[in-house]
Amino acid sequence: MRNLGSALLTRQVEGIAGRNVHAPPKVALLFLTRGPMPLEAIWRDFLESCPIPWETLFRIHVHLPKGKEYPKKSLFHGRETDERVHVQWGNHSMIEAERILFSNALKDPSVQTCVLLSEDSIPLYPALLVYVQLSRENTSRVNVCANPDDPDDGNKRMNYRWVPEMEEAGVTQSLWRKSSQWIALKRQHAQMVVDDTVVNDAFARECYVAENRFCVSDEHYIPTLLALKGAEDGCDCQSSSVQTIWTPGAMHPKVFGPNDATEDVIRDELREENNKEKDCGTLVTTFEPDHQDVWHVLLEDDDGHATMLQSCPLFARKIDLGDSSSTKGLQTWQSALESFIW
């Protein structure tokens, strides 16, 4: 973080928050989980890397099964949603849980960006840089776009999962979209998700997994809703907030175990720093130590001071600690990530 002039940035943010003038917009980290948070120590490292109290910049909300709570010493204690649903893979209940998370985040008017994460997700950059990157972005990281010039566009959107009954909710086949479940939404788009009832009800009825039907709402509901609302221009359809590596033909993404916890894997596979088209991993390096308006430049100027292209992932998922010793696996990942998130 030295290239960010973090000490000066810290004074700028604290001064702004202290005067209660243009208080920093916040990023909500929304965890959709099965309960346990095996990577909690990594998230604590990430947030503690922030040179100011992290609550100034971030909010955390967690959806977990009914009846479960985190211990008082946990980072996630007191951040569990009150409303919960029983979540099943391939079931629309995943969307209901996501809507609960978005609704909780939007109760804070300062939250301007919401990021969906899971219990097997990790950060790939320091907290302050992630915050700055997401706060500077004007578009949501979700694929809401169609490409009629591409002859394979329909297959890419998996429009064969659409059924005519969707038209009752205004969802035509041309509006059918597909995106990663793990997205980052700007406030106005998260609000559309929370406010919707008609399209949500249609997906609850018509999008499910059964012997003669394979439709997963978590891949289609939000991008299709935003397309119906005409929000394509407000979305960066080439970006992903959470890196997920898929093997062609596989039903599930690649899992990264303790043996993958190396700087090379983090740099080349997860951050994609070897992708010259994206130039991921490039930090802000343009600030002079005596720059007096760092906060303004980071969040408001469009003069080439952006941190990275929006197509660069900021988090990664499917991190596994291994079966032999979760403590050892956790320490292995912590050690590998130390130079990346501090």
Side-chain angles (χ1 to χ4, degrees):
M1 296 300 293
R2 285 189 292 271
N3 286 335
L4 279 168
S6 59
L8 178 57
L9 177 56
T10 299
R11 293 196 297 273
Q12 292 284 330
V13 176
E14 288 177 335
I16 291 172
R19 293 194 303 269
N20 199 27
V21 177
H22 304 302
K26 293 183 179 61
V27 172
L29 304 176
L30 309 180
F31 291 88
L32 176 58
T33 78
R34 297 178 181 88
M37 295 293 284
L39 302 172
E40 176 176 341
I42 291 174
W43 285 101
R44 191 179 294 278
D45 289 347
F46 166 76
L47 293 168
E48 289 180 355
S49 76
C50 200
I52 61 174
W54 65 265
E55 294 92 340
T56 306
L57 308 178
F58 293 94
R59 288 286 184 264
I60 291 177
H61 298 277
V62 188
H63 183 283
L64 69 166
K66 294 179 180 180
K68 293 189 177 181
E69 306 291 337
Y70 293 109
K72 288 186 178 180
K73 292 184 178 180
S74 170
L75 170 68
F76 302 103
H77 175 73
R79 297 182 168 95
E80 307 94 336
T81 61
D82 292 329
E83 183 183 0
R84 303 182 199 176
V85 295
H86 176 62
V87 176
Q88 292 180 296
W89 183 89
N91 187 289
H92 191 72
S93 56
M94 294 192 79
I95 291 298
E96 297 297 354
E98 290 176 11
R99 283 160 53 89
I100 290 170
L101 284 166
F102 286 128
S103 178
N104 274 257
L106 295 180
K107 290 176 182 177
D108 183 343
S110 69
V111 168
Q112 297 300 312
T113 307
C114 299
V115 185
L116 277 175
L117 299 160
S118 57
E119 71 271 13
D120 60 6
S121 299
I122 58 170
L124 297 176
Y125 295 94
L128 190 58
L129 189 142
V130 169
Y131 169 78
V132 167
Q133 178 73 30
L134 289 171
S135 297
R136 288 215 51 181
E137 293 174 0
N138 296 318
T139 54
S140 292
R141 291 183 175 220
V142 55
N143 189 354
V144 185
C145 302
N147 184 6
D149 295 330
D150 182 354
D152 198 37
D153 179 61
N155 283 329
K156 290 177 179 177
R157 292 186 288 113
M158 295 187 174
N159 62 9
Y160 47 82
R161 291 179 174 175
W162 173 88
V163 291
E165 289 78 6
M166 290 280 188
E167 289 189 345
E168 296 179 13
V171 178
T172 62
Q173 191 175 45
S174 64
L175 288 171
W176 190 256
R177 300 289 189 269
K178 181 185 183 302
S179 182
S180 167
Q181 174 186 5
W182 311 102
I183 57 180
L185 296 185
K186 305 310 287 187
R187 185 181 183 91
Q188 66 270 27
H189 297 145
Q191 191 69 60
M192 291 178 186
V193 173
V194 171
D195 292 343
D196 170 59
T197 56
V198 175
V199 178
N200 180 64
D201 290 347
F203 269 82
R205 289 192 311 269
E206 309 296 344
C207 191
Y208 53 88
V209 176
E211 184 177 350
N212 60 347
R213 183 87 170 101
F214 191 91
C215 178
V216 282
S217 290
D218 54 270
E219 294 181 352
H220 297 286
Y221 165 68
I222 291 178
T224 298
L225 171 68
L226 296 182
L228 177 64
K229 298 290 186 181
E232 290 99 326
D233 291 344
C235 301
D236 186 316
C237 297
Q238 304 302 316
S239 65
S240 173
S241 54
V242 183
Q243 179 72 290
T244 306
I245 307 294
W246 289 89
T247 301
M251 282 291 294
H252 300 286
K254 177 179 178 179
V255 175
F256 292 86
N259 291 336
D260 299 305
T262 67
E263 290 191 5
D264 286 344
V265 169
I266 295 169
R267 182 181 299 107
D268 297 335
E269 287 196 65
L270 301 182
R271 276 191 173 190
E272 290 191 68
E273 287 190 34
N274 60 345
N275 187 331
K276 294 187 184 223
E277 292 182 2
K278 291 187 177 182
D279 195 26
C280 299
T282 302
L283 303 182
V284 175
T285 58
T286 56
F287 301 114
E288 297 298 329
D290 59 349
H291 198 295
Q292 296 301 304
D293 204 15
V294 174
W295 178 252
H296 171 73
V297 172
L298 284 174
L299 293 185
E300 298 178 20
D301 277 356
D302 291 318
D303 56 359
H305 290 287
T307 53
M308 293 176 287
L309 293 177
Q310 194 162 337
S311 56
C312 296
L314 302 175
F315 310 92
R317 64 182 298 263
K318 301 306 289 184
I319 305 302
D320 181 63
L321 300 183
D323 297 328
S324 58
S325 171
S326 59
T327 301
K328 183 177 180 181
L330 177 61
Q331 291 173 344
T332 301
W333 275 106
Q334 279 184 289
S335 177
L337 285 164
E338 184 175 3
S339 63
F340 293 95
I341 65 174
W342 278 91

